[in-house]
């Protein structure tokens, strides 16, 4: 799999990131890791290595930490593997009852960033992360406080580069104003069925805009400052390749077009959905969410597909359910 130098870094990362949210047995806090979870993680990592992917995305909340824990076990089994990989994780979301009698919340406090990162390193069995992202904006944040945590983690060699997730232009600008080094990534929900990032650019000054709140200037900020846009849920969690009963007309039409284009390009529907993101000149990097090696291979075919401008717009038009303008 082709690799690219991640802007503002010396890292060479694969053009597709492997998301680890599906590892570790799901969202139940009480689940205990088993050999089956280990096998799933091992198969996933091996399939990724076969494809030449070296970039893995975690978050401290995935499977209540078990996604990182099981990944750490696979790293331990394979000495030398850690050094071949780019490990990215996220902090800033806290589960209910951590500690007891607390609500579900966001927490960008210095203390939480530092403690959560320590816990990530311990679970993964590594002494550093290549990239740490702030998971979801915390209304109570103080960017100066975040900057202190970032500076400390960097000075200690525990994190090399920092980025954000689900932040708009203004939030990025605010944080960046306190940081000496550039943010390297913003992980956002970007896909055919979640195309606000494209919609915002064509809705301005229209009679009937489908104007997505909050997107204003976000894509342009990322492009101007070379903040890589990483796309989460890039294949819409399988909606377009699943059972379409009860889905709205635009989803059915998009699924039909995806299927047709997959046949025309001799590729998979997943590849067409991802190629739609890859066509965007911002250099979007999809974060794949499947834990199934077979689906991973179906997704990886995207790197062999180049959609024409006309195909890109046909897909966009089908997904938004309206012509332009
Ligand atoms: N920053 C954030 O706020 C945020 C939020 C969500 C996710 N993420 C990251 O982004 C990654 C990708 O997110 P995602 O998992 O939502 O992305 P996705 O790649 O769009 O969806 C993958 C999920 O959909 C399922 N799926 C795919 N095709 C399917 C089909 N044809 N039929 C049934 N199920 C199908 C997969 O199940 P199988 O495993 O069975 O294939 C998997 O659970 C995550 O792993 C995580 O690293 C970040």
């Amino acid at each position: 799999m082709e690799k690219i130098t991640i802007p503002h870094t010396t890292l060479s990362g694969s053009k597709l990131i492997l998301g680890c949210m599906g590892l570790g047995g799901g969202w139940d806090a009480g689940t205990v890791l088993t050999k089956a979870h280990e096998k799933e993680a091992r198969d996933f990592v091996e399939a990724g290595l076969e494809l030449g992917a070296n970039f893995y995305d975690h978050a401290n909340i995935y499977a209540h930490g078990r996604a990182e824990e099981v990944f750490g076990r696979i790293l331990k089994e394979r000495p030398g593997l850690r050094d071949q990989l780019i490990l990215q994780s996220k902090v800033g979301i806290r589960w209910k009852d951590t500690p007891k009698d607390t609500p579900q919340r966001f927490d960008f406090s210095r203390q939480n960033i530092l403690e959560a990162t320590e816990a990530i390193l311990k679970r993964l069995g590594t002494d550093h992360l290549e990239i740490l992202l702030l998971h979801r904006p915390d209304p109570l944040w103080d960017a100066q406080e975040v900057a202190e945590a970032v500076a400390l983690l960097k000075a200690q060699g525990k994190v090399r580069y920092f980025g954000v997730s689900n932040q708009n232009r203004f939030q990025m600008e605010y944080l960046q104003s306190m940081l000496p080094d550039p943010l390297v990534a913003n992980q956002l929900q970007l896909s055919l069925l979640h195309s606000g990032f494209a919609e915002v650019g064509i809705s301005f000054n229209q009679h009937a805009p489908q104007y997505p709140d909050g997107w204003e200037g976000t894509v342009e900020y990322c492009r101007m400052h070379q903040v890589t846009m990483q796309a989460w849920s890039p294949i819409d969690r399988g909606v377009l390749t699943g059972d379409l009963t009860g889905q709205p007309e635009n989803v059915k039409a998009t699924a039909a077009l995806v299927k047709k284009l997959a046949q025309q390009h001799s590729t998979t529907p997943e590849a067409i959905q991802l190629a739609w993101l890859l066509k965007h000149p911002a250099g979007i990097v999809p974060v794949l969410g499947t834990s199934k090696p077979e689906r991973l291979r179906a997704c990886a075919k995207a790197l062999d597909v180049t959609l024409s401008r006309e195909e890109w717009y046909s897909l966009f038009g089908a997904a938004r359910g309206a012509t332009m303008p």
Side-chain angles (χ1 to χ4, degrees), residues 246-281:
Q247 290 290 353
E249 283 312 308
N250 69 311
V251 174
K252 288 180 180 164
T254 310
L257 184 54
V258 163
K259 193 173 170 188
K260 185 174 140 198
L261 288 171
Q263 281 161 0
Q264 286 172 358
H265 283 266
S266 306
T267 191
T268 62
E270 289 86 351
I272 296 295
Q273 293 173 73
L274 295 165
W276 187 78
L277 291 171
L278 294 169
K279 173 84 178 165
H280 193 280

Side-chain angles (χ1 to χ4, degrees), residues 57 165-166 187 232-233 235 237 241 287 289-292 295:
D57 180 66
S165 180
N166 305 303
Q187 193 175 105
W232 63 265
S233 288
I235 57 166
R237 298 189 170 147
T241 45
V287 187
T290 183
S291 54
K292 306 269 184 311
R295 228 191 302 274

Side-chain angles (χ1 to χ4, degrees), residues 17-22 40 57-59 62 90 93 133 135-136 165-166 187-189 191 231-242 270 274 287-292 295-296 299:
I17 298 174
L18 272 49
C20 297
M21 194 170 76
E40 180 186 50
D57 180 66
H58 286 270
Y62 293 164
K90 315 182 199 78
I93 300 179
L133 306 182
H135 206 154
R136 280 190 185 270
S165 180
N166 305 303
Q187 193 175 105
L188 298 152
Q189 187 171 8
S191 66
W232 63 265
S233 288
I235 57 166
D236 290 301
R237 298 189 170 147
V239 167
L240 293 173
T241 45
E270 289 86 351
L274 295 165
V287 187
L288 308 180
T290 183
S291 54
K292 306 269 184 311
R295 228 191 302 274
L296 213 52
C299 289

Side-chain angles (χ1 to χ4, degrees), residues 7-235:
H8 307 300
T9 80
T10 56
L11 303 172
S12 181
S14 45
K15 287 181 99 170
L16 298 173
I17 298 174
L18 272 49
C20 297
M21 194 170 76
L23 302 181
W27 296 105
D28 185 349
T31 300
V32 175
L33 282 179
T34 63
K35 294 281 170 208
H37 296 125
E38 285 178 16
K39 180 177 178 338
E40 180 186 50
R42 193 177 299 114
D43 291 350
F44 171 75
V45 170
E46 269 164 20
L49 289 174
E50 272 166 34
L51 291 167
N54 69 340
F55 196 163
Y56 288 83
D57 180 66
H58 286 270
N60 65 339
I61 59 162
Y62 293 164
H64 290 264
R66 294 186 307 271
E68 289 170 337
E69 195 181 331
V70 75
F71 198 92
R73 290 186 192 179
I74 305 308
L75 291 178
K76 205 170 168 189
E77 284 175 7
R78 299 182 64 140
L81 176 60
R82 164 66 187 98
D83 295 340
Q84 298 168 35
L85 305 182
I86 294 174
L87 297 184
Q88 169 177 281
S89 192
K90 315 182 199 78
V91 295
I93 300 179
R94 299 187 71 175
W95 291 119
K96 184 177 184 301
D97 285 325
T98 55
K100 197 166 166 18
D101 293 334
T102 49
Q104 181 114 348
R105 61 213 185 274
F106 301 133
D107 190 344
F108 284 5
S109 67
R110 181 181 189 277
Q111 184 182 357
N112 183 53
I113 292 171
L114 296 176
E115 287 178 2
T117 305
E118 282 296 344
I120 290 170
L121 296 179
K122 195 166 170 215
R123 284 191 292 270
L124 286 170
T126 184
D127 60 359
H128 73 283
L129 291 174
E130 274 69 25
I131 303 175
L132 181 71
L133 306 182
L134 297 175
H135 206 154
R136 280 190 185 270
D138 170 11
L140 300 182
W141 72 325
D142 174 356
Q144 182 59 49
E145 194 182 339
V146 173
E148 284 170 26
V150 162
L152 192 59
L153 289 169
K154 203 167 166 123
Q156 292 171 335
K158 291 178 179 167
V159 177
R160 291 185 63 190
Y161 304 102
F162 292 85
V164 296
S165 180
N166 305 303
Q167 291 203 6
N168 66 28
R169 170 200 161 176
F170 303 108
Q171 291 162 328
M172 277 188 282
E173 271 180 337
Y174 170 51
L175 177 58
Q176 187 63 74
S177 73
M178 303 288 174
L179 298 176
D181 301 312
L183 293 167
V184 302
N186 188 3
Q187 193 175 105
L188 298 152
Q189 187 171 8
L190 312 170
S191 66
L192 262 171
L193 299 183
H194 200 93
S195 57
F197 73 101
E199 193 64 39
V200 67
I202 61 166
S203 295
F204 177 66
N205 217 17
Q206 292 291 321
H207 289 296
Q210 304 175 329
Y211 206 78
D213 276 346
W215 268 106
E216 294 86 345
T218 302
V219 174
E220 288 77 10
Y221 182 91
C222 289
R223 292 183 74 177
M224 283 167 65
H225 298 278
Q226 292 191 289
V227 180
T228 300
M229 292 168 66
Q230 299 178 356
W232 63 265
S233 288
I235 57 166

